[in-house]
Amino acid sequence: MKAQLPLVIIGTGLAGYNLAREWRKLDGETPLLMITGDDGRSYSKPMLSIGFGKNKAADELGMASAGAMAEQLGAEIRTHTWVTRLDPEHQQVWIGDEPVPYRDLVLAWGAQTLRVPIAGDAAEAVHPINDLLDYARFREAAHGKRRVLILGAGLIGCEFANDLRLGGYEVDLVAPCEQIMPGLLPAEPARAVQAGLEALGARFHLGPVLERLDREGDALRATLSDGRTLACDLVVSAVGLRPRTELAQAAGLAANRGIAVDRLLRTSAPHVHALGDCAEVDGLNLLYVMPLMTSARALARTLAGTPTPVSYGPMPVTVKTPACPLVVSPPPAGRDGHWTVEGTAPDVRALCHDADGRLIGYALTGARVQERLALNKELPPLLAELPHVSS
Ligand SMILES: Cc1cc2nc3c(=O)[nH]c(=O)nc-3n(C[C@H](O)[C@H](O)[C@H](O)COP(=O)(O)OP(=O)(O)OC[C@H]3O[C@@H](n4cnc5c(N)ncnc54)[C@H](O)[C@@H]3O)c2cc1C
């Protein structure tokens, strides 16, 4: 008898493991093969930017080993294994020169950190932190050190600034923008959060970029593009993430910012789906946990034989800057809106309305974060429910 082909999931991040769990509730029979470039530990990635404040080693953030996950899910999990090519025409993927056939394939391979070119002899002292292994390496490098330079003033750079201050490090943050979280926040809530972080002791250098990083004895000298120099011991890079699309595009799959999928999370190739950070669902590429959990539940049903289109309600994001709490629900990309701002730092409420006066986004800081539940009820869904989608 011919062996049953497996469901193959590439990636064991929150998207891969949540999908596997949801799908196993519905299908206990079909073989499941998970392939991952990392060690396959199950962990919650948002914990990576609160680990220093809680003094958690990487091993303490890991929730289950690949072996334990394989047993729990009735799966084979291949760790430290990189898929190198997709071959949708022959319904297989390649790991080097080894073909792996699938019944259905799910791409849950996330996004990779952007790297900026930096001159000088200490470029290897720059640490991106996008998975548990990165976190482990950074914690080891930070042991016994005092001063951290953070590159990037986005959500993740600001969370690291808060966390590393709570962990007792001196923090300088450099970013080529006029305000923190420029793509996410209007100026007033951004100022409130920056002031909260400054009160905690973080120092901001907004405008320049890091041009050079050189060794100076045991320490590092960072030279900024405006000529200033800063002394530090190590550098965290939080300059942004790019969804992994290269292998998909090389195989002819449609991609924009992420791998393009429809509401059934189908890519343009038959039997190939995508979810999580790598996927652009009906035009939306959201690099957060809530959308991938919603996608995992819908895709599990679809893969188990009940085509289930994904729908997204409002997706507010709680930013982990306890120095000045922040909840933000940015207006959907491409929707024009008008911001109105009330209150003063630290307690700011910024609301974004469209031309018809409908609420389409908000940013709340300090004590105003309590208003989020009421505002969520007014927000439109990001992907409204569909009456029917054919499989
Ligand atoms: C520091 C930090 C804090 C965050 N905090 C929050 C938060 O508070 N709230 C929130 O909503 N979101 C937060 N996010 C975002 C959220 O964590 C991510 O959206 C989510 O974890 C992405 O999961 P994923 O499974 O899609 O990707 P990933 O977790 O990146 O997993 C990708 C997997 O694919 C594997 N892989 C990649 N390429 C290959 C290949 N070619 N072959 C085999 N395997 C491959 C990798 O090894 C990995 O196992 C945070 C992100 C970071 C970095």
Side-chain angles (χ1 to χ4, degrees), residues 10-17 35-40 43-49 81-84 108-111 129-131 155-156 159-160 241 244 247 275-278 286-292 317-320:
I10 309 176
T12 55
L14 287 171
Y17 274 147
I35 304 171
T36 177
D38 60 34
D39 63 6
Y43 72 102
S44 173
K45 193 181 281 197
M47 296 297 287
L48 300 184
S49 50
T81 302
W82 291 91
V83 168
T84 48
W109 58 29
I129 307 180
N130 186 36
D131 62 30
L155 183 157
I156 291 182
E159 290 192 350
F160 280 131
L241 291 169
R244 291 190 173 95
L247 292 183
L275 84 166
D277 279 6
C278 67
L286 302 174
L287 282 71
Y288 302 112
V289 175
M290 219 199 291
L292 71 80
V317 181
T318 300
V319 182
K320 301 185 293 296

Side-chain angles (χ1 to χ4, degrees), residues 3 58 61 99 136 169 226 261 265 287 330:
L61 295 184
Y169 290 85
D226 61 5
V261 294
L265 302 168
L287 282 71

Side-chain angles (χ1 to χ4, degrees), residues 60-311:
E60 294 175 275
L61 295 184
M63 295 184 299
S65 67
M69 290 306 292
E71 201 172 316
Q72 204 185 97
L73 295 167
E76 181 189 349
I77 302 181
R78 293 182 62 172
T79 58
H80 301 293
T81 302
W82 291 91
V83 168
T84 48
R85 189 156 70 86
L86 305 184
D87 185 2
E89 203 184 321
H90 300 101
Q91 231 165 302
Q92 58 190 7
V93 299
W94 290 82
I95 299 167
D97 55 10
E98 176 197 350
V100 177
Y102 57 78
R103 184 201 82 180
D104 288 287
L105 174 67
V106 178
L107 309 176
W109 58 29
Q112 64 203 27
T113 42
L114 294 175
R115 285 176 186 268
V116 287
I118 297 166
D121 62 10
E124 81 288 352
V126 177
H127 292 259
I129 307 180
N130 186 36
D131 62 30
L132 196 53
L133 296 174
D134 291 341
Y135 178 81
R137 274 188 290 271
F138 178 70
R139 266 195 87 92
E140 199 183 323
H143 186 72
K145 300 282 174 34
R146 201 164 47 84
R147 298 163 301 182
V148 182
L149 176 66
I150 297 174
L151 306 181
L155 183 157
I156 291 182
C158 290
E159 290 192 350
F160 280 131
N162 201 139
D163 191 46
L164 287 163
R165 280 303 297 140
L166 293 179
Y169 290 85
E170 283 183 37
V171 170
D172 284 281
L173 190 149
V174 174
C177 45
E178 286 177 6
Q179 63 157 76
I180 64 167
M181 299 184 228
L184 205 57
L185 293 182
E188 293 84 350
R191 272 200 293 273
V193 176
Q194 182 177 339
L197 292 170
E198 283 170 340
L200 193 65
R203 296 180 288 256
F204 285 78
H205 312 272
L206 300 183
V209 291
L210 173 66
E211 235 167 42
R212 293 187 64 86
L213 194 63
D214 293 289
R215 302 216 159 270
E216 202 167 59
D218 284 345
L220 303 172
R221 188 180 67 245
T223 308
L224 310 189
S225 53
D226 61 5
R228 270 183 290 172
T229 59
L230 298 169
C232 60
D233 299 311
L234 64 174
V235 179
V236 171
S237 175
V239 297
L241 291 169
R242 187 157 49 87
R244 291 190 173 95
T245 57
E246 292 84 353
L247 292 183
Q249 281 175 299
L253 274 61
N256 304 304
R257 181 168 155 74
I259 300 164
V261 294
D262 64 10
R263 294 290 201 94
L264 291 172
L265 302 168
R266 296 180 296 199
T267 69
S268 57
H271 298 284
V272 185
H273 295 77
L275 84 166
D277 279 6
C278 67
E280 183 175 312
V281 185
D282 213 2
L284 289 182
N285 172 235
L286 302 174
L287 282 71
Y288 302 112
V289 175
M290 219 199 291
L292 71 80
M293 304 279 276
T294 310
S295 295
R297 282 191 292 273
L299 182 53
R301 287 174 61 78
T302 298
L303 291 169
T306 309
T308 306
V310 69
S311 55

